[in-house]
Amino acid sequence: MPTNTSTSTAPNRAAPGATAILVSALLGGMAAGVAWCFLALWLPWFAQFWIVPIAIALAVSARWQGYRNCSAIACTVFATCIAFVYAQYLFGAVRIADSMGLPLREALFKAGFGLTADVAWANLRMADWIALAIALLAGAGAARLHRRADS
């Protein structure tokens, strides 16, 4: 049986489309937002800076999913921004639940999106924005890193 020597043994991967990046960023970002909220409630020291290791984990996840170069950076940045917004929303719900003496689930449903978003926005401080900037830079840097086998 003749063998074809012109075929490559490297896997043939197409560049991911915008939809794949968006879906990965959405799912990863929402999971990361919940993880950040749990970490901040469990270990409250410098809670706003938990987004930095989470952004690096999102970058590693994007690389693991097969995204490379600009795709990995875009997925990481979008996911980090989604995680930031979603976690801030959850932090707002936690503040409402704490002030009203309600369980978190009940506060999420009773307060509604508008009130929870307003509480979250009102409680953002400069340290939160600095943490987001550091997280975006760290995540993009981690997404850009590659091993020799990736090139």
Side-chain angles (χ1 to χ4, degrees), residues 31 34-35 48 74 95 97 120 144:
V34 170
Q48 65 269 25
R95 285 184 179 92
R144 193 167 187 274

Side-chain angles (χ1 to χ4, degrees), residues 65-139:
Q65 291 177 50
Y67 297 131
R68 299 292 179 259
N69 303 326
C70 292
S71 299
I73 293 170
C75 186
T76 301
V77 167
F78 289 150
T80 303
C81 289
I82 290 167
F84 182 81
V85 170
Y86 189 53
Q88 293 306 321
Y89 180 78
L90 291 174
F91 291 146
V94 167
R95 285 184 179 92
I96 291 171
D98 187 42
S99 67
M100 296 179 75
L102 297 171
L104 178 59
R105 183 177 186 273
E106 194 173 334
L108 275 168
F109 289 116
K110 285 190 176 183
F113 176 78
L115 177 63
T116 307
D118 287 344
V119 169
W121 180 255
N123 284 295
L124 284 174
R125 304 288 180 250
M126 184 58 71
D128 296 310
W129 296 111
I130 291 170
L132 176 62
I134 293 169
L136 290 173
L137 291 172

